[in-house]
Amino acid sequence: MRTLAGKLAGLVLTLVVGGLLGATLVRLAPGADVDEREQDARLSEASLAALRRENAAPDGVVSFYAGYLGRLIAGDFGKSRGTGQPVREILAERAPLTLRSAGFGYLLAWVGGLALALLLAGLRSSWLDVVGAGAAGLLLSLPAACIGFVALWTGIGLEWAVGAVLFPKIFLFSSALLGNLYGRPHVLQALAKGLSSARILVFHVLWPAVPELAALAGATTGLAFGAAIPLEVVCDSPGLGQLAWQAATARDLPVLVALTLLVTLVVKTSDILAELVRSGLRESRA
Amino acid sequence: MIRCLVALGVLVLSGLAAGEELRFCLRADPKTFDPALVADEYSFAVQYLTGGVLVRFNRRTQAMEPELATSWKVDQGGRRITLQLRQGVRFSDGTPFTAQDVIYTIRRLLDPALHSPIGDSFRSGAGELRAESKRPDQVVLTFPAPVVNLERLLDQVFVQSATSPLKEKAGLGPFVLKEYKTGAQLLFARNPQYWKRDKQGRALPYADGVRLSIQANRETELLRFERGEIDLINTLDTRLYDRLQKEMPRAVADLGPGLDSEFVWFNQAPGSPLPAYKKKWFTSAAFRRAVSGAINRADLCRLALNGHAVPAAGPISPANQAWFNRDLKPHAFDPKGSLQMLEKAGFRKGPGGLTDSEGHRVEFSLVTNAGNPARARLASLLEQDLAQLGIKINIVTLDMPSLLERISRTADYEACLLGFVNTDVDPNGHMNVLLSSASNHPWNPKQAKPATPWEAEIDALMQAQAGLADARQRKAKFDRVQRILWEQTPIVYLLHKNYLVAVSPNLQGADPRPLAPQTYWNIEWIAPSGTRTISQR
């Protein structure tokens, strides 16, 4: 319980520090208070002055940060500099698509990667290991954007592309882990004694692998969101990944800061969950 | 039997593929749906599809033609306009179109608290607009001071309903917005109340709807065009144009030069943090003129834009038939003449490059925006051209906000390469750039009084032409402005880019022109494949 409280406190601290750094970025970035509309030759001097007032940073550093954090806690991330829409609305509109594609892709990669790793570990055929490692290596060497182009050409869903990006990482890690576990003396002895394959798999291979697999599950959550950026850009999918790209190229700092905080929240939360699983298992074994 | 089934299947599939919907892409989301606040091309696209105007500027004939106003009369030297309104017209929600809507729209545009860029174009002087409607089909608008080319400005004014509960969502254009998904698409349906009909009495628009996909990636946009998933590309870059020309020669068109221009200017602001000797170079007309003469504009057009551009003599493109000064030719490429000009001004070319009379090496940074490959190529070519004179250029690319901060706030730059996107053919569209007191006067903004006699002359000429109703007199004054700019070269105009578009050969009625919106300015007359036979206007 104390560990969980500590981890949650760490998460909150990370978000607060991230928020403050984000606010600093917004305030101090060159041209932060410049609006491209100022170049509109039709605008009168009065309109230009109004536009500048609208974009000017508020006076006073403390009031600026306090106001920013206050709005952040209330879920107000400000307005997008690109579209003028509230960032919260944009995130709410786009998040479901990314959650769906990244979530399904994550599941596909885990089901595929783990199943194949188990199969190969169970079969213990060296040439199948080579084939599996070769295929995974090939996928691993392909940049996510290339996989995105393949998805675009073939018309397959984005979740398959996310799955293809994550699959080799999960497969290679699980394969090595399970192969190692299958090669342990007590497993070999159990096999020699004729213990059932299912029992060996569940109790002597999978169960001991759970802490490492949980850590991998935490790490691949962040990777799934990372993969969504190039994939959504290439496949023109209006999710958070595409939004991140557009915000980066247009230097839409309020959107970038909100996305950074959101991804930090997701990654840190999954890390905490993975760590909790690992520590829970360690305690139960002890 | 099997043949029949296959034929039926093909028919169904082809019908699904063709549809009666026009499809094209916007590169970003529209920033506003408020017709009074439209400033970017994507918001303009939405208004162009959904809004109705009193008078339209025909992109083909470059003449005004009636829309919601069947006739108009400008008098009192451009202060008053009397508009005869079309009867029996309704907004998309069925609300009748009345004179009160016109008055409401113009009053709203001129509301000082709204800061509408369209409204600012109408702001002619201190005082109130007087709007009267003695008859339901007539509106008389009297402005406090003359508004030049008043009827031309009405092309940008999308009439809003004063009484509709839907407010700005009720439109008078050919389509109505049905669905908007941020970052994904905008769907428009035919406006059942649209007033326009063809010669056969058939209700326009021909298309049943429009699908605008938000597509920032130009490669993907091209791919979708090649696959037949979209029907139009409004502006192609030169590389993609040349690629598509090889693959689908019937689908592409080079419309010739548009109104936009690419140019370089030197920072002449007296308060800039530049060393005094650099300020001296940049304020020297001989230096600027010599730089201009050392630039091979034909090569810029050929190499940076693959020949899809024309050399520029000034701010007005040959596409602007009414205001282009035909007597002016782009500064001739003459590096020897430029060097002589510099030597007369005290510069010397030695083995280490060009130096000024005090021995300073002539070297400056050229800032431009990042993410524009054609502009980056232009910068590299400028670097090579000026190296022949012994001038060293350091190219600096910045993101747009940083660049704008430098050129409009801190004046912390030496020279800048940028472009103007012109949508207005009238000289008044250049007022905020050419007047010495203007914020957007690039080389030395916000001058309390003109820094040079020729800037004072430009100010006087621009203000004088703005107060004249006679087009010929205005042209004479604006020709003189163009000549002064050509002689003094405060801005080194480089080229006018051609408008490159792609239109599906399956479309009927498309008539692309180099004025925005190039491919769909006559959208109500464009028929997608699968639409019934259409008649010409």
Side-chain angles (χ1 to χ4, degrees):
Chain A
M1 199 63 188
R2 195 177 292 171
T3 317
L4 177 63
K7 298 244 175 247
L8 288 176
L11 173 64
V12 171
L13 187 67
T14 306
L15 290 176
V16 168
V17 171
L20 288 174
L21 289 174
T24 308
L25 199 64
V26 171
R27 189 185 168 91
L28 299 181
D33 58 346
V34 177
D35 192 315
E36 282 186 34
R37 286 178 292 170
E38 288 176 29
Q39 299 304 302
D40 190 332
R42 295 171 300 174
L43 284 174
S44 66
E45 289 302 326
S47 296
L48 283 171
L51 206 56
R52 285 176 185 149
R53 276 197 304 276
E54 189 187 308
N55 289 306
D59 291 334
V61 175
V62 176
S63 63
F64 170 74
Y65 282 112
Y68 188 89
L69 271 185
R71 288 192 298 276
L72 208 62
I73 290 164
D76 177 4
F77 294 98
K79 283 187 175 178
S80 159
R81 295 199 65 181
T83 63
Q85 267 185 294
V87 175
R88 185 166 60 179
E89 275 180 23
I90 301 174
L91 295 182
E93 278 174 17
R94 288 176 174 249
L97 192 70
T98 303
L99 286 176
R100 198 166 53 239
S101 57
F104 277 119
Y106 181 82
L107 281 177
L108 284 170
W110 267 97
V111 169
L114 198 58
L116 195 64
L118 279 169
L119 184 72
L120 294 187
L123 289 173
R124 281 175 296 154
S125 158
S126 54
W127 71 268
L128 276 179
D129 283 348
V130 171
V131 171
L138 183 69
L139 271 179
L140 197 63
S141 64
L142 280 177
C146 290
I147 294 174
F149 274 114
V150 173
L152 187 69
W153 276 103
T154 54
I156 60 165
L158 202 63
E159 58 275 13
W160 289 96
V162 174
V165 173
L166 296 184
F167 167 81
K169 297 173 179 76
I170 295 168
F171 167 73
L172 289 171
F173 183 87
S174 329
S175 185
L177 179 67
L178 298 176
N180 180 277
L181 288 169
Y182 260 114
R184 286 194 176 175
H186 70 281
V187 176
L188 293 174
Q189 204 171 9
L191 278 169
K193 280 185 176 177
L195 212 64
S196 77
S197 301
R199 192 176 168 78
I200 290 173
L201 173 71
V202 173
F203 292 105
H204 297 286
V205 177
L206 266 183
W207 183 242
V210 168
E212 280 75 11
L213 291 177
L216 181 65
T220 44
T221 311
L223 289 177
F225 275 91
I229 296 176
L231 293 174
E232 286 186 359
V233 170
V234 170
C235 297
D236 192 32
S237 177
L240 293 177
Q242 190 198 52
L243 179 69
W245 177 264
Q246 287 170 349
T249 50
R251 218 179 62 158
D252 194 341
L253 288 175
V255 174
L256 278 178
V257 169
L259 279 169
T260 308
L261 290 177
L262 190 70
V263 173
T264 307
L265 180 69
V266 171
V267 172
K268 284 289 287 179
T269 307
S270 59
D271 278 351
I272 289 171
L273 289 174
E275 185 56 35
L276 285 174
V277 170
R278 292 181 71 179
S279 56
L281 282 172
R282 246 184 261 127
E283 280 170 19
S284 70
R285 281 174 194 171
Chain B
M1 183 66 182
I2 291 170
R3 276 185 188 173
C4 284
L5 283 173
V6 169
L8 186 67
V10 168
L11 202 66
V12 169
L13 285 174
S14 62
L16 284 174
E20 294 190 2
E21 192 178 56
L22 270 171
R23 300 149 304 173
F24 56 102
C25 295
L26 298 182
R27 303 228 159 92
D29 287 281
K31 288 190 175 180
T32 179
F33 289 97
D34 185 339
L37 295 176
V38 168
D40 60 295
E41 67 169 290
Y42 313 116
S43 309
F44 175 74
V46 173
Q47 292 308 323
Y48 202 85
L49 299 184
T50 59
V53 292
L54 293 159
V55 181
R56 169 124 294 159
F57 181 71
N58 185 311
R59 270 63 172 175
R60 179 161 44 88
T61 61
Q62 296 204 8
M64 304 309 296
E65 59 184 31
E67 284 275 308
L68 294 168
T70 53
S71 63
W72 61 93
K73 186 182 157 200
V74 179
D75 56 8
Q76 294 190 2
R79 274 186 67 225
R80 189 171 75 173
I81 184 164
T82 306
L83 296 150
Q84 200 67 36
L85 304 182
R86 196 173 291 280
Q87 291 299 284
V89 175
R90 287 178 179 275
F91 283 87
S92 53
D93 65 341
T95 309
F97 164 63
T98 66
Q100 290 311 312
D101 299 320
V102 178
I103 293 171
Y104 167 77
T105 303
I106 300 287
R107 279 200 194 288
R108 184 161 182 265
L109 281 176
L110 290 172
D111 179 355
L114 189 67
H115 301 298
S116 159
I118 304 162
D120 283 353
S121 313
F122 282 92
R123 230 175 285 284
S124 55
E128 290 273 308
L129 162 82
R130 209 168 70 236
E132 296 163 293
S133 172
K134 289 175 186 163
R135 285 167 27 198
D137 64 340
Q138 195 183 66
V139 174
V140 181
L141 302 170
T142 310
F143 291 84
V147 179
V148 176
N149 224 1
L150 188 48
E151 69 272 33
R152 172 75 180 87
L153 292 177
L154 291 175
D155 176 65
Q156 300 171 35
V157 178
F158 299 100
V159 179
Q160 291 178 258
S161 171
T163 54
S164 166
L166 292 182
K167 297 191 173 172
E168 70 252 22
K169 286 182 185 162
L172 291 161
F175 298 97
V176 283
L177 182 61
K178 202 168 73 174
E179 182 190 306
Y180 171 41
K181 280 189 182 170
T182 314
Q185 65 176 9
L186 297 113
L187 284 181
F188 299 85
R190 172 205 287 268
N191 175 3
Q193 307 284 352
Y194 190 53
W195 57 273
K196 212 180 270 187
R197 291 178 179 272
D198 66 11
K199 276 183 180 172
Q200 278 69 43
R202 201 179 130 196
L204 295 179
Y206 286 129
D208 283 342
V210 177
R211 182 183 296 266
L212 299 187
S213 306
I214 312 294
Q215 176 58 262
N217 187 323
R218 292 181 178 217
E219 295 275 354
T220 313
E221 185 183 20
L222 189 75
L223 183 68
R224 292 179 68 179
F225 183 81
E226 287 171 331
R227 282 178 169 184
E229 291 172 10
I230 56 170
D231 303 306
L232 303 168
I233 302 181
N234 212 32
T235 45
L236 275 164
D237 72 26
T238 52
R239 190 176 54 84
L240 296 182
Y241 174 88
D242 290 342
R243 195 175 110 192
L244 194 59
Q245 194 179 34
K246 283 179 195 149
E247 292 163 10
M248 299 173 72
R250 283 180 57 223
V252 292
D254 182 339
L255 305 177
L259 300 178
D260 307 346
S261 49
E262 295 285 318
F263 50 81
V264 170
W265 78 87
F266 296 100
N267 183 359
Q268 297 187 47
S272 70
L274 304 184
Y277 65 89
K278 285 198 175 179
K279 285 182 186 173
K280 201 171 153 191
W281 304 343
F282 299 156
T283 50
S284 155
F287 176 82
R288 299 190 302 262
R289 186 71 176 72
V291 166
S292 183
I295 294 169
N296 189 337
R297 289 172 173 78
D299 267 4
L300 296 186
C301 297
R302 190 171 54 84
L303 299 172
L305 289 150
N306 297 357
H308 301 295
V310 295
I316 304 300
S317 152
N320 188 345
Q321 294 159 17
W323 298 100
F324 176 60
N325 185 346
R326 286 180 175 76
D327 295 338
L328 299 178
K329 301 285 174 264
H331 291 148
F333 174 56
D334 180 13
K336 280 185 186 167
S338 287
L339 195 56
Q340 285 168 0
M341 214 179 289
L342 286 168
E343 282 169 351
K344 268 189 196 167
F347 292 88
R348 287 287 168 271
K349 190 181 176 191
L354 192 74
T355 51
D356 65 11
S357 55
E358 296 164 15
H360 297 111
R361 171 82 205 272
V362 180
E363 178 178 355
F364 58 82
S365 61
L366 179 71
V367 293
T368 189
N369 63 310
N372 186 328
R375 207 164 275 160
R377 288 195 293 273
L378 279 178
S380 300
L381 290 166
L382 289 174
E383 188 183 15
Q384 287 172 30
D385 281 348
L386 296 192
Q388 291 178 48
L389 294 182
I391 295 175
K392 187 170 187 308
I393 294 185
N394 302 306
I395 300 165
V396 180
T397 53
L398 298 168
D399 67 332
M400 201 47 118
S402 309
L403 179 64
L404 293 180
E405 185 183 58
R406 281 176 184 250
I407 62 176
S408 66
R409 302 282 167 87
T410 61
D412 189 7
Y413 72 99
E414 294 178 339
C416 180
L417 166 65
L418 264 186
F420 270 144
V421 178
N422 286 325
T423 51
D424 192 359
V425 293
D426 194 86
N428 281 4
H430 296 265
M431 203 67 107
N432 209 7
V433 173
L434 296 179
L435 288 185
S436 61
S437 57
S439 300
N440 289 331
H441 190 62
W443 61 92
N444 183 9
K446 291 185 192 170
Q447 297 173 37
K449 59 176 190 175
T452 58
W454 54 268
E455 281 176 285
E457 191 183 351
I458 289 178
D459 285 0
L461 287 163
M462 286 303 288
Q463 274 150 357
Q465 66 80 30
L468 289 170
D470 185 279
R472 271 191 302 183
Q473 288 179 341
R474 288 189 69 206
K475 173 82 165 72
K477 294 205 181 295
F478 194 59
D479 277 354
R480 174 69 190 142
V481 170
Q482 292 178 69
R483 179 160 290 282
I484 295 170
L485 291 171
W486 186 88
E487 287 166 357
Q488 297 294 333
T489 326
I491 296 176
V492 181
Y493 290 97
L494 303 174
L495 51 87
H496 302 291
K497 285 193 286 186
N498 290 5
Y499 268 112
L500 309 173
V501 300
V503 178
S504 165
N506 295 329
L507 290 189
Q508 297 175 66
D511 182 18
R513 297 283 154 180
L515 305 178
Q518 292 79 8
T519 50
Y520 61 91
W521 67 271
N522 60 339
I523 192 149
E524 66 271 36
W525 298 93
I526 301 178
S529 55
T531 309
R532 297 163 295 282
T533 314
I534 59 166
S535 60
Q536 293 301 310
R537 273 182 285 181

